[in-house]
């Protein structure tokens, strides 16, 4: 059985043993005659079958933000229906240990699936058409802004004392 070529369950094209996904439609390849009825399909296996291979490449990038765990899981389900894999992570700086499902979440996807994810979320009106791009501020930039503000306050205070004298 291992020497037989693999077959796509969706389009029935035959592929070599070195292929894992169908080049035509992106479905995971199976051995001929393997209908999957011999073993039960778990929820994890069913979820993996929905993922499109072309959306699994690259670094993880933030596709959307959610106010809580439930909203993040809703977004994750919408992306999975389009074949885009995603992960949830707590938004940096927000830790609510007493309420594990509380607090904002980031929905991250592989870089190759970002455009498809943004399209799905735009259709559902869950993200803005033009993202602000306001990510986390670097510590050096924050320190430079604070020092510039402090210098401005010092100049105003100095001018105030010179004018009053």
């Amino acid at each position: 059985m291992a020497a037989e070529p693999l077959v796509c369950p969706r389009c029935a094209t035959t592929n070599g043993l070195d292929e894992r996904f169908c080049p035509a439609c992106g479905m995971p390849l199976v051995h001929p005659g393997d209908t999957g009825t011999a073993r039960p399909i778990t929820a994890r296996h069913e979820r993996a079958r929905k993922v499109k291979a072309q959306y699994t490449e690259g670094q993880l990038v933030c596709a959307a933000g959610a106010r809580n765990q439930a909203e993040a899981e809703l977004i994750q389900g919408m992306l999975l229906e389009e074949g885009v894999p995603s992960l949830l992570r707590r938004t940096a700086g927000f830790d609510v240990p007493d309420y594990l499902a509380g607090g904002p979440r980031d929905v991250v996807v592989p870089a190759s699936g970002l455009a498809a994810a943004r399209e799905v979320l735009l259709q559902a009106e869950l993200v803005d058409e033009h993202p602000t791009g306001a990510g986390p501020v670097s510590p050096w930039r924050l320190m430079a802004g604070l020092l510039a503000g402090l210098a401005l306050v010092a100049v105003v205070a100095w001018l105030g004392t010179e004018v009053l004298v």
Side-chain angles (χ1 to χ4, degrees), residues 62-76 88-91 94 101-108 121 126-127:
C62 184
R67 292 181 292 244
N68 53 45
Q69 180 78 22
E71 186 177 317
E73 288 176 357
L74 172 75
I75 293 171
Q76 194 175 28
L88 302 181
R89 67 177 179 204
R90 289 179 185 234
T91 301
F94 290 95
R105 299 285 193 267
D106 291 332
V107 181
V108 294
L121 297 173
L126 291 174
V127 294

Side-chain angles (χ1 to χ4, degrees), residues 69-138:
Q69 180 78 22
E71 186 177 317
E73 288 176 357
L74 172 75
I75 293 171
Q76 194 175 28
M78 292 172 60
L79 294 176
L80 184 60
E81 289 302 316
E82 294 299 320
V84 180
S86 62
L87 294 172
L88 302 181
R89 67 177 179 204
R90 289 179 185 234
T91 301
F94 290 95
D95 189 18
V96 187
D98 295 336
Y99 305 101
L100 293 178
R105 299 285 193 267
D106 291 332
V107 181
V108 294
V109 299
S112 62
L114 182 61
R118 297 275 312 158
E119 185 63 34
V120 169
L121 297 173
L122 280 171
Q123 289 175 358
E125 297 178 359
L126 291 174
V127 294
D128 295 333
E129 188 170 345
H130 302 289
T132 59
V137 178
S138 76

Side-chain angles (χ1 to χ4, degrees), residues 1 7-9 29-41 45-46 49:
M1 184 169 178
V7 177
C8 175
L29 299 174
V30 297
H31 291 285
D34 186 10
T35 60
T37 58
R39 61 188 184 282
I41 296 179
H45 185 248
E46 185 63 31
R49 290 182 59 84

Side-chain angles (χ1 to χ4, degrees), residues 7-10 20-22 25-30 48-51:
V7 177
C8 175
R10 181 182 289 166
R20 194 167 166 209
F21 296 97
C22 178
C25 66
M27 284 292 291
L29 299 174
V30 297
R49 290 182 59 84
K50 291 182 180 180
V51 172

Side-chain angles (χ1 to χ4, degrees), residues 129-150:
E129 188 170 345
H130 302 289
T132 59
V137 178
S138 76
W140 295 108
R141 192 170 194 170
L142 180 63
M143 187 176 10
L146 288 174
L147 288 176
L150 182 64

